[in-house]
Amino acid sequence: MSKKALVTGITGQDGSYLAELLLEKGYEVHGIIRRASTFNTSRLDHIYSDPHFAKNKLFLHYGDLSDGSNLARLLGSIQPDEVYNLAAQSHVRVSFDAPEYTADITGTGTVRLLEAIREIGIKPRFYQASSSEMYGLVQEVPQKETTPFYPRSPYGCAKVYSYWVTVNYRESYGMHASNGILFNHESPRRGETFVTRKITRAAAHIKLGLQEKLFLGNLEAKRDWGYAKEYVEAMWLMLQQPEGDDYVVATNETHTIRECLDVAFARLDLDWKKYVEIDPRYYRPAEVDLLIGDYSKAKQKLGWEPRTTFQGLIELMTDADLRYLEKKM
């Protein structure tokens, strides 16, 4: 009998890649999606038409991390073997504008889910999507599982709460619960407001004469960028271990936003300096200057390591954006 997985945030970048991975492994996959007035399943739609995937094993349910009773009802009816909590208000800059909403969904939403699992009495393995933004004003370089947190945004603060409440439920109730502290991870499915996708999409638009300028904030911010499709493999591996634990998932390399511009625009034979302008609106009230993760524990215990280089990732995203626009023209 195939395993069942429940994925919150299944319509996002990570959720869609995780759904593909689980379907390939023979899982029955259940995803929670928010009811909206427009369709929001574009990252999943191809699964139903691709013969590679068992489309009759993907089920979507309406729900929300703000509604604990509905979460309990879904968990009770699905009885999943594994639960992956990927849902969040996940945009760092937006969290400064909507701090209360971010705390409710990104923070309290996690405890609603954990408490629903506990109250129903089921014993699924639980994955919490933690974030490198928890390190914020970094206390150690590179950052690892033992590095103290110092969040610099409402999003980072909410993720720290979710991290510790996951540890607390593991230690208090014996849950198989794990935190994946994922550093920045990108792909052609990355949301268009995130800086890497904003850059690759703009480069493609400019190349085709569809855009004249790209407005950005701090070009010197340094991030550890990896490929989302590879990072969901680490999520799955965590839940296959004998016990729950916490793992950094990263590349142990850091690159600036300026370097991202270099790669994306060079891929299309463009000079980004002719098109990019700095807009102070995109600066954060408190900046995170340097993130770089040490993934040695994940390599040792999970056998996981990144395979796609930074340059390869940005070129892959740029190529995908160009292909998409050319098809539409």
Side-chain angles (χ1 to χ4, degrees):
M1 194 165 148
S2 62
K3 281 186 179 179
K4 291 182 190 175
L6 176 64
V7 182
T8 73
I10 197 169
T11 59
Q13 167 188 255
D14 294 8
S16 64
Y17 281 122
L18 181 61
E20 290 177 353
L21 178 74
L22 294 171
L23 288 168
E24 285 172 350
K25 292 183 179 297
Y27 281 65
E28 180 179 302
V29 179
H30 296 260
I32 296 179
I33 63 171
R34 285 177 298 173
R35 187 177 290 278
S37 57
T38 55
F39 290 113
N40 56 1
T41 58
S42 60
R43 292 184 180 94
L44 298 170
D45 292 342
H46 69 282
I47 289 174
Y48 293 101
S49 57
D50 189 338
H52 180 66
F53 299 108
K55 52 186 173 291
N56 60 338
K57 285 196 167 188
L58 176 61
F59 304 91
L60 301 178
H61 310 266
Y62 286 117
D64 196 297
L65 286 185
S66 65
D67 186 348
S69 60
N70 185 50
L71 292 174
R73 182 183 61 78
L74 286 171
L75 285 160
S77 63
I78 295 166
Q79 298 276 316
D81 300 288
E82 297 172 2
V83 175
Y84 296 85
N85 184 31
L86 310 185
Q89 187 304 98
S90 61
H91 199 285
V92 177
R93 182 63 192 82
V94 170
S95 78
F96 285 100
D97 301 323
E100 193 175 333
Y101 175 74
T102 301
D104 185 43
I105 300 303
T106 308
T108 313
T110 304
V111 81
R112 287 191 190 104
L113 189 53
L114 285 164
E115 188 62 6
I117 290 169
R118 188 186 72 82
E119 286 193 339
I120 292 166
I122 58 176
K123 300 283 186 187
R125 296 185 171 196
F126 180 83
Y127 172 83
Q128 169 59 24
S130 288
S131 168
S132 59
E133 287 288 331
M134 300 188 304
Y135 295 119
L137 187 63
V138 298
Q139 305 297 293
E140 182 179 29
V141 178
Q143 294 87 55
K144 46 185 183 280
E145 292 80 7
T146 53
T147 303
F149 300 137
Y150 195 137
R152 297 269 280 172
S153 65
Y155 170 78
C157 293
K159 282 292 188 183
V160 169
Y161 173 79
S162 287
Y163 172 93
W164 281 117
V165 84
T166 299
V167 172
N168 188 254
Y169 271 66
R170 179 171 75 218
E171 295 178 351
S172 300
Y173 305 115
M175 284 189 181
H176 190 299
S178 296
N179 281 292
I181 307 171
L182 271 59
F183 281 63
N184 292 62
H185 46 291
E186 319 297 316
S187 76
R189 299 182 193 174
R190 187 55 142 154
E192 293 167 1
T193 59
F194 289 84
V195 69
T196 49
R197 184 74 198 289
K198 190 176 175 182
I199 288 169
T200 62
R201 194 167 172 268
H205 274 80
I206 289 167
K207 180 68 175 179
L208 297 175
L210 302 171
Q211 185 174 329
E212 292 180 0
K213 292 288 182 185
L214 168 61
F215 296 94
L216 294 172
N218 180 14
L219 301 188
E220 305 312 319
K222 293 178 178 178
R223 295 291 182 272
D224 182 324
W225 276 302
Y227 186 18
K229 188 173 183 177
E230 295 169 3
Y231 281 34
V232 300
E233 295 169 9
M235 298 177 187
W236 178 78
L237 285 166
M238 288 176 211
L239 298 202
Q240 311 317 306
Q241 304 309 303
E243 296 178 345
D245 204 348
D246 310 314
Y247 300 88
V248 164
V249 180
T251 69
N252 204 19
E253 284 185 18
T254 190
H255 298 273
T256 62
I257 291 167
R258 187 181 294 274
E259 287 177 82
C260 185
L261 286 164
D262 287 339
V263 175
F265 278 74
R267 182 70 170 176
L268 303 180
D269 299 314
L270 297 170
D271 178 1
W272 65 263
K273 296 180 185 70
K274 295 179 181 176
Y275 307 100
V276 173
E277 292 189 11
I278 303 303
D279 187 334
R281 289 180 304 167
Y282 293 113
Y283 280 88
R284 299 180 187 178
E287 183 58 84
V288 173
D289 296 314
L290 169 64
L291 291 173
I292 177 169
D294 177 356
Y295 65 90
S296 55
K297 180 178 175 181
K299 183 177 181 180
Q300 178 196 345
K301 292 201 169 184
L302 306 178
W304 181 90
E305 58 185 324
R307 302 185 296 277
T308 303
T309 65
F310 169 74
Q311 181 168 338
L313 171 64
I314 301 303
E315 289 180 348
L316 181 151
M317 292 171 66
T318 306
D319 292 348
D321 277 325
L322 186 66
R323 278 197 308 273
Y324 174 75
L325 286 174
E326 286 174 337
K327 271 188 199 170
K328 285 180 68 179
M329 290 178 77

